[in-house]
Amino acid sequence: MSNTEIATILRNVAAAYAIKNESKYRFQIIAYQKAADAIENSTSEVKDLYKEEKLESLPGVGPSIRQHLEELITTGKVKHFAWVMQDIPESVFTLLNVPTFGPKKSYRLVSEFGLKNPIAVIADLEKIARAGKIASLEGFGAKSESDILQAIQEYKQGRAKTKRMVLPYAAELAEKVLLYLKKSKAVIQAQPLGSLRRMVSTVGDIDFAVVSNSPNEAIKHFIAYPYKDRVIEQGPTTASILISGGKQIDLMVQSKDSFGSLLQHFTGSKHHNVHLREYALKKGLSLSEHGIKKRVAGGKLRMETYETEEKFYKALGLQWIPPEMREDKGEIELASKNNLPQLVELKDIKGDFHIHSNYPIEPSHDMGKNTMEEMLEKAEKLRYEYLGFSEHNPSLSKHTSTQIYSILSRRKDKIEQLNDSNKYVRVINLLEVDILTSGKLAIDEKSLATIDAAIVSIHSNFSMDKKTMTKRVLQGLSHPKAKILAHPTGRLLNIRSGYELDFEKIFDFCIKNKKALEINAWPTRLDLPDSLVFEAIKQGVKFVIDTDSHALWQMEMMKYGVAVARRGWAKKSDILNTLPYNELISWLKS
DNA sequence: GCCGTTTTCGGCCCGACTGTTTTCAGTCG
């Protein structure tokens, strides 16, 4: 049973409690939702945590939910869950997947019309709505009926399951909307927030904060966005539209003097904000997007507004927290002690190791589009000190080992020539070498001797079990020339989830043997994922951030790799390609 | 049902918008 499936079960339990008696079970509902969130975001499989007796290390899992999870894993069902859900047809939980359907509405409609078939429930409800039978229900009306049809329509088009956008794509889309927003005189300032500002690897909705003295005008301009499909909602200070492709864009307007509070509120994350508000409550303060409410003499509440986020956090006795850290992982406590880490920045990066040129290496996988010279010129523009070429090793099926050696020797000469003629950027002779199914590297010792170091990676036979795959990777990484493990999970966002690895073992091995893991900035990779970077950094694993560029423009993607590192709380000292050339090369050749 | 830098008991974030109401329930973020 996957973490996602388990999280869904817990959310359904929460929904069942809400249907049974929302006020009575108010805190159970919150508890189950919290546990579901924690499981969904966990870097470890629940079944592994169970084996290691570490279920209660998940935030939000206590003695009670832990026991239920154990029962779920060992028997496949839970008596307590069955009790909570006993009078609720399964079809109710199906309906929860439809936008705008919560527990109450789903249960009401299922009961009212006897929709007991979980497979057909959505189609059945659609027929009923079309027949005009919903409008006459107490508490419903003609508008609710057409809204239900609309929601079902969008559900069928995949809005509920709409794939989240990869970060660089979302950033590009946000840029277009931003340009449009700024065309209005009513928009004094506009900024994308939410998961985009936190640089999460995938972005669902795009959120904007706007400063305006005439919110009405600003909202009117926003909902007139030419590429919108429809307006989802529109009020005096907020509005949401759906654009073609099913993406949602939310907008919130405040006056200038409250913009700091708005930025803070709308950047999230939800968990960070909830924790921050609980923290504030203990100081007698109440937070919102409008500002901070303080209790003053006479027991009255007074609202203080904040123009900047810095001032907002300061009013709570906190350091300003970088958006990438706002995930409720302990950042609030550190900020209260003035002890936040100094995160690595793009300007700290002194070079890129994972570069595929079009050098004729007859590679095992895809080749780059530009010459080594062109890529070096780009590196100079990026003010890099060094650049590592790391084409894929020559294809094994098409060459003998002697041929491979000869290709790599020629390449070595070429790189030496480049180093002689190039004034600004040092060239490092790397190679991306496949770790074969056996754990052996794809090229032999003689060929390996032609390069400074190898970036090793998995490009075949992904479906090995966790133990075997871990053994394979560790064997490949244990070769003295192998210094970096590239795109360690092999995931491709929205395409495949990657292979299974025992990262405890990998981290441990890297620390003991001075190996580095890669943060690969390729838009659909962003691999190692930030949550695992966070664990690795805590333990002292070193990283390199690479773009894996196959063309010049891709060398600009470094900022997304840096974002992953920052989300993992990496400091400059955790990232090896922030080192000056001499220190770097001595590590590579060590 | 979870949790602790004023608590192992007594708390638990805050507000916007919509539709159906005539003061609020449901959903969302």
Side-chain angles (χ1 to χ4, degrees), chain A residues 141-314:
Chain A
K143 188 66 168 63
S144 323
E145 190 169 84
S146 66
D147 284 352
I148 286 169
L149 281 171
Q150 169 100 47
I152 290 176
Q153 214 49 43
E154 283 171 9
Y155 168 80
K156 288 204 288 196
Q157 285 163 8
R159 179 174 155 210
K161 292 176 287 185
T162 300
K163 283 175 180 165
R164 293 170 64 88
M165 295 167 268
V166 294
L167 179 62
Y169 177 83
E172 212 173 284
L173 178 57
E175 200 54 41
K176 282 184 201 155
V177 180
L178 194 60
L179 279 176
Y180 171 76
L181 285 175
K182 287 184 171 168
K183 281 185 189 165
S184 164
K185 279 185 191 143
V187 175
I188 298 170
Q189 205 177 330
Q191 193 180 325
L193 302 174
S195 49
L196 185 56
R197 183 166 181 235
R198 300 199 313 281
M199 301 290 269
V200 183
S201 297
T202 60
V203 175
D205 303 340
I206 295 187
D207 307 313
F208 280 96
V210 161
V211 175
S212 178
N213 296 325
S214 45
N216 270 334
E217 281 300 305
I219 299 262
K220 239 171 83 184
H221 176 68
F222 170 61
I223 62 169
Y225 185 59
Y227 302 107
K228 73 155 195 297
D229 269 1
R230 73 179 182 92
V231 178
I232 295 173
E233 62 177 37
Q234 173 196 357
T237 60
T238 74
S240 298
I241 60 173
L242 206 59
I243 61 166
S244 37
K247 308 289 181 218
Q248 186 175 331
I249 303 181
D250 302 331
L251 186 94
M252 229 178 202
V253 188
Q254 284 281 338
S255 60
K256 193 164 189 275
D257 52 1
S258 285
F259 196 53
S261 332
L262 178 61
L263 286 180
Q264 197 291 317
H265 167 81
F266 220 4
T267 297
S269 70
K270 183 183 161 199
H271 291 293
H272 174 84
N273 283 359
V274 168
H275 189 162
L276 197 66
R277 286 171 189 170
E278 284 171 352
Y279 175 86
L281 263 188
K282 288 173 194 156
K283 303 184 165 209
L285 305 171
S286 169
L287 312 182
S288 75
E289 63 267 43
H290 304 290
I292 303 180
K293 274 186 205 154
K294 282 184 181 160
R295 200 165 285 283
V296 292
K300 283 188 178 169
L301 291 172
R302 200 181 67 200
M303 174 73 78
E304 302 268 3
T305 60
Y306 299 89
E307 249 188 78
T308 67
E309 263 189 353
E310 284 79 0
K311 285 181 183 161
F312 184 92
Y313 278 103
K314 198 176 170 194

Side-chain angles (χ1 to χ4, degrees), chain A residues 3 39 41-49 52 58 532:
Chain A
N3 282 9
I39 286 170
N41 296 322
S42 168
T43 55
S44 313
E45 291 289 316
V46 166
K47 57 178 192 289
D48 293 336
L49 291 172
E52 296 157 19
L58 289 166
L532 280 165

Side-chain angles (χ1 to χ4, degrees), chain A residues 44 104 111 126 129 137-138 158 197 202 205 221 289 344 377 412 449 454 480 488 547 550 556 569-570:
Chain A
S44 313
K104 303 286 180 60
S111 318
E126 188 177 7
L137 244 48
E138 200 190 330
R197 183 166 181 235
T202 60
D205 303 340
H221 176 68
E289 63 267 43
V344 63
E377 203 178 310
K412 180 172 190 253
T547 61
H550 290 62
E556 309 261 1
W569 295 22

